[in-house]
Amino acid sequence: MFLPNIPTPDEVLDKGFRRAKKAAARVRTSKIHRQQKSKRIEEVRVQTACQVIRETFEGILEETPHVEELPMFYQDYIDVAVGVDQFKKSMGALNWANGVLEKLQNQYTHRIRRSPPENAAQIRKAAFGRIASVVNRIGDELDFLNYSRQMLRNVPTVDPEAITAVIAGFPNVGKSTLLRQITNAEPEVADYPFTTKGIQIGHYEKRWQKYQIIDTPGLLDRPVQEMNQIELNAMVALEHLADLILFIFDPSQTSGFPVENQVNLYWEIKKIFSHTTVQSVFNKMDLVEDEENVKYIEEHINKGDKPLMVSASDGSGITQIIDILSELKK
């Protein structure tokens, strides 16, 4: 999600006052009566400073997507990453500041016009003080928006028209390797938990139908309210994007997670996302040494869920997944 550059209060004020000084310099060279010129200079400085600062804030407001107009996936993603309420509050602060600055511009230009020439500079200084106070008052909101810009700069772009499978499971069970085998994505793959820090998407097309496979950060066998931000990103993708959930089991247990815990997470996912089909995938079958692990999982998952046996590291069994995806309809 694109967010524009967010300046600090000092940067906003420096820009406004610098442009105001330049505008005043142009008035000094104009052919206006000397007594009127001194008032016109200060009037232009107030007008320009207010206008430049307001245009800066308006640019941010116009370039930032309205949260309520975004698809629910993005709304929830923003909520998990930075908090939707605080984000809206900070954007609202820019609107508030613009309203006050407009009033200050009208108020102080009117006072300068009605004042004696010798008082114009003093009124302009008072106006600049009020302008600085308004901008500094929303300093925390500008800081938050800059933080949000950093946190949301890597929000994935999803294709709402594509058939979507979301890969879920414990960390290090081979989700990213599977994504790399099915699509053109190049996720980081390593032998330690939580390699995937955010949502990664791969795409492919078959018979003019677009497909996207989403690799989610590893989940752990615990309630949603105890999940960290990385896990919650995965839950957001599962909730809003999945036409099919590919739940990855590791019967070899080389991921470090017992099959009992993996089965518990499987049922938790099925319970939370009861309206989405869950397809179990047994990965790392080339590393399985104890067939009892395979039997245990088969006995404890849904009887109607016929698991696919694959080894994502060498690509065996991947065509089975592609065949299942081909059967899905949008």
Side-chain angles (χ1 to χ4, degrees):
M1 187 175 102
F2 173 78
L3 291 180
N5 183 52
I6 309 296
T8 66
D10 287 344
E11 289 170 339
V12 174
L13 292 170
D14 180 65
K15 179 182 178 182
F17 293 158
R18 191 162 21 89
R19 292 270 294 275
K21 188 175 181 180
K22 288 181 178 179
R26 289 192 293 270
V27 176
R28 284 192 178 91
T29 61
S30 63
K31 295 180 180 180
I32 304 177
H33 189 276
R34 185 170 57 84
Q35 284 191 325
Q36 290 300 316
K37 183 179 290 189
S38 61
K39 293 172 65 173
R40 181 59 184 157
I41 286 171
E42 305 304 344
E43 181 183 338
V44 165
R45 290 184 72 176
V46 171
Q47 289 175 334
T48 303
C50 287
Q51 288 171 359
V52 168
I53 294 171
R54 285 173 58 202
E55 286 170 4
T56 300
F57 291 157
E58 285 169 2
I60 296 171
L61 289 165
E62 289 174 3
E63 292 178 35
T64 302
H66 295 283
V67 174
E68 59 276 5
E69 296 177 3
L70 295 172
M72 283 306 301
F73 164 71
Y74 290 108
Q75 292 188 41
D76 280 1
Y77 193 102
I78 293 170
D79 201 22
V80 168
V82 298
V84 164
D85 290 341
Q86 181 58 50
F87 188 82
K88 289 181 178 179
K89 177 177 176 291
S90 295
M91 294 299 292
L94 300 185
N95 266 320
W96 170 83
N98 269 0
V100 175
L101 289 170
E102 184 178 12
K103 290 179 181 178
L104 290 177
Q105 178 181 334
N106 294 333
Q107 176 186 344
Y108 279 92
T109 53
H110 183 66
R111 285 180 61 183
I112 290 170
R113 288 170 186 170
R114 296 184 59 186
S115 70
E118 62 270 18
N119 293 346
Q122 194 62 36
I123 297 172
R124 187 265 307 161
K125 289 179 182 178
F128 274 20
R130 294 284 301 278
I131 292 168
S133 177
V134 170
V135 174
N136 285 320
R137 186 169 173 180
I138 64 168
D140 288 346
E141 281 75 16
L142 291 172
D143 286 345
F144 178 81
L145 289 174
N146 190 50
Y147 162 76
S148 298
R149 181 173 182 263
Q150 301 302 317
M151 294 296 292
L152 298 172
R153 62 184 175 181
N154 292 323
V155 174
T157 301
V158 298
D159 183 354
E161 302 303 318
I163 290 175
T164 303
V166 178
I167 305 172
F170 271 84
N172 209 29
V173 296
K175 299 189 301 298
S176 296
T177 304
L178 187 65
L179 175 69
R180 189 170 57 185
Q181 288 285 4
I182 300 174
T183 72
N184 56 1
E186 290 291 339
E188 180 184 358
V189 177
D191 292 327
Y192 52 85
F194 290 110
T195 305
T196 303
K197 301 299 184 182
I199 293 170
Q200 302 188 70
I201 303 180
H203 300 88
Y204 72 93
E205 190 169 331
K206 185 176 181 182
R207 292 177 183 171
W208 303 284
Q209 172 62 57
K210 293 180 179 179
Y211 297 86
Q212 63 185 356
I213 313 296
I214 300 179
D215 175 25
T216 60
L219 299 167
L220 297 178
D221 179 18
R222 57 187 174 192
V224 173
Q225 58 268 27
E226 296 178 14
M227 291 182 175
N228 60 33
Q229 183 174 318
I230 293 175
E231 293 172 279
L232 289 174
N233 283 339
M235 299 299 279
V236 168
L238 289 167
E239 180 178 358
H240 296 297
L241 302 177
D243 297 308
L244 174 71
I245 296 172
L246 295 172
F247 188 91
I248 312 302
F249 284 100
D250 171 24
S252 73
Q253 298 186 136
T254 56
S255 59
F257 299 100
V259 290
E260 293 84 359
N261 295 79
Q262 296 181 52
V263 168
N264 289 341
L265 179 59
Y266 166 87
W267 282 109
E268 184 74 10
I269 293 296
K270 282 191 69 68
K271 181 176 71 174
I272 296 174
F273 306 106
S274 57
H275 298 296
T276 305
T277 301
V278 177
Q279 171 66 59
S280 62
V281 178
F282 289 18
N283 191 27
K284 302 187 181 182
M285 291 302 293
D286 55 321
L287 302 178
V288 173
E289 296 180 354
D290 188 351
E291 288 294 330
E292 290 300 316
N293 290 336
V294 176
K295 291 179 181 178
Y296 178 89
I297 299 173
E298 288 178 324
E299 290 172 359
H300 288 84
I301 62 174
N302 191 309
K303 290 181 180 179
D305 185 0
K306 204 171 178 182
L308 304 178
M309 308 294 182
V310 308
S311 175
S313 60
D314 62 17
S316 63
I318 299 302
T319 55
Q320 302 176 73
I321 298 175
I322 294 175
D323 289 343
I324 285 179
L325 290 171
S326 299
E327 296 172 5
L328 297 175
K329 303 296 181 185
K330 196 68 178 176

